[in-house]
Amino acid sequence: MTDTTSLIVAPDSDIASAGKIVMWALSGPTNRTELQDAWDLEGLPSSLKPSDFTQPALSLQNALRELARGKRSLVRPLRQRGAWCVIDEVVFDSDVEDGEAAVTGEDLEHTTSYKAWIERTTNSTGASTIHLRLKDADDATSDAVHDAFTKHREHMAANTFSAWLTKVIEDCTAAVKIRKSGGVYYVPEDRVPVFDSIVSAITTANPQHVFHTITAMKADNCVATVLDAVNREAAELVDAIENELDTGDLGKRALNSRRGNLAKLGDKLASYETLLGSRLDDIKNRLEDVDVALGEAILLDVEASNAIDLLANAQV
């Protein structure tokens, strides 16, 4: 893979700028309301406000861990997504007879204290509402959990904020990960103003967050690094969809969702071809093949549904 450091190119008046290499360091909680206000002032898309990319399950996990801090309590995930179990741990002395000698030691005992989970309900208009549910929690514990959950929903911890920020940067700026594990992104030149507005809104809400940018120049080594990142990101999505098609577990809605993701990826590849003056034919051909496979899977799903309907009607 191309070395990331090749992107750190000193500005040269003879080489055109190709965008920015961006990275950030997050610190402290971010107030959601203050960020939403700053977001509006910058004129950024309302659809990408933090309220639309919050992770209530993560907020609940942070709340439960905060309440368990300093106690012999464990917060463990259940099978259901967004569900957690709080377990109390007790240390007690135990006497074990070993021949003629009595060995005294300590044992641990674990008991379930209570369970907490997130539930979504949808009304007739399609609007969804988040509910916090508890089981086996006394009144005092219930009040404490609800208060902590509300606080973590309003003040996003760094881990919650990081997940939202990554999603926003990728959606708003067509950024690609330069480093496979994330944390360092390339933002195309025409999306830099949007990125600057996002940074302005975020640092207004929380000045502790720090963003660093490096000008990327349209030199050969820079172009190679960005192309490598674009190809890698596209290949990861295509591989994931191919694996899902192989399992045959995708329903009609999921299949249509994957086609939508491929369409967005196709637009992104086209924009990078224009920006960098290089073709991405290999990955685009794979994308087209997967899109055809998705279309065929959708048709098969429709045919199967029609057959079931015919059978049901025949039995009436």
Side-chain angles (χ1 to χ4, degrees):
M1 186 174 70
T2 308
D3 188 348
T4 306
T5 57
S6 65
L7 278 164
I8 304 176
V9 182
D12 186 324
S13 59
D14 294 329
I15 304 177
S17 172
K20 299 282 187 181
I21 307 304
V22 303
M23 59 203 82
W24 53 81
L26 305 178
S27 179
T30 304
N31 184 282
R32 192 184 317 280
T33 301
E34 292 178 2
L35 179 55
Q36 289 173 333
D37 291 343
W39 193 265
D40 288 338
L41 288 174
E42 292 292 334
L44 291 163
S46 59
S47 61
L48 294 178
K49 279 186 183 181
S51 59
D52 297 307
F53 279 115
T54 56
Q55 298 187 32
L58 191 53
S59 296
L60 176 57
Q61 179 188 27
N62 290 337
L64 296 176
R65 285 179 172 174
E66 178 185 287
L67 294 175
R69 195 172 297 131
K71 303 176 184 177
R72 295 198 73 105
S73 296
L74 305 173
V75 179
R76 304 297 300 158
L78 298 173
R79 284 198 187 100
Q80 177 185 329
R81 186 175 182 180
W84 305 87
C85 180
V86 178
I87 301 170
D88 289 336
E89 184 178 71
V90 179
V91 181
F92 63 94
D93 293 333
S94 63
D95 293 331
V96 180
E97 294 294 337
D98 184 13
E100 297 180 357
V103 179
T104 300
E106 290 184 335
D107 278 340
L108 293 175
E109 183 177 76
H110 296 92
T111 57
T112 298
S113 177
Y114 62 93
K115 298 175 183 178
W117 66 96
I118 298 298
E119 185 177 288
R120 291 180 184 267
T121 58
T122 305
N123 62 21
S124 58
T125 65
S128 62
T129 305
I130 298 295
H131 303 277
L132 169 58
R133 306 299 190 194
L134 294 165
K135 182 181 180 181
D136 299 328
D138 57 34
D139 290 343
T141 300
S142 178
D143 290 343
V145 173
H146 276 89
D147 288 345
F149 177 67
T150 299
K151 184 188 79 173
H152 281 277
R153 287 278 285 166
E154 180 62 21
H155 295 84
M156 292 184 287
N159 57 350
T160 307
F161 187 76
S162 178
W164 170 81
L165 176 59
T166 300
K167 174 69 173 174
V168 166
I169 293 296
E170 290 177 352
D171 282 3
C172 282
T173 69
V176 291
K177 290 183 290 187
I178 295 299
R179 191 172 62 187
K180 190 174 182 180
S181 59
V184 181
Y185 290 80
Y186 166 76
V187 176
E189 179 69 19
D190 63 335
R191 303 296 181 92
V192 170
V194 177
F195 173 79
D196 290 341
S197 293
I198 293 172
V199 171
S200 177
I202 290 171
T203 53
T204 295
N206 184 350
Q208 296 182 68
H209 295 327
V210 178
F211 290 80
H212 303 284
T213 63
I214 301 169
T215 300
M217 313 308 292
K218 198 178 288 186
D220 290 344
N221 55 357
C222 174
V223 171
T225 301
V226 174
L227 286 174
D228 179 73
V230 172
N231 273 294
R232 183 178 66 242
E233 179 184 298
E236 288 174 356
L237 177 61
V238 171
D239 287 344
I241 294 176
E242 285 179 336
N243 290 334
E244 290 176 325
L245 285 170
D246 288 340
T247 63
D249 293 334
L250 294 177
K252 183 178 179 181
R253 178 178 294 182
L255 289 168
N256 283 314
S257 174
R258 301 304 185 274
R259 290 198 88 178
N261 292 339
L262 284 182
K264 290 180 181 178
L265 176 59
D267 292 341
K268 189 171 185 176
L269 293 177
S271 69
Y272 271 90
E273 284 183 323
T274 300
L275 172 70
L276 301 175
S278 299
R279 297 190 61 80
L280 297 164
D281 290 335
D282 289 344
I283 190 62
K284 286 174 68 178
N285 289 336
R286 284 194 63 198
L287 187 151
E288 290 174 3
D289 291 342
V290 173
D291 187 60
V292 170
L294 283 170
E296 293 173 348
I298 291 172
L299 287 175
L300 288 174
D301 184 80
V302 170
E303 291 172 357
S305 297
N306 290 340
I308 292 172
D309 290 341
L310 288 172
L311 180 62
N313 292 332
Q315 294 175 344
V316 174

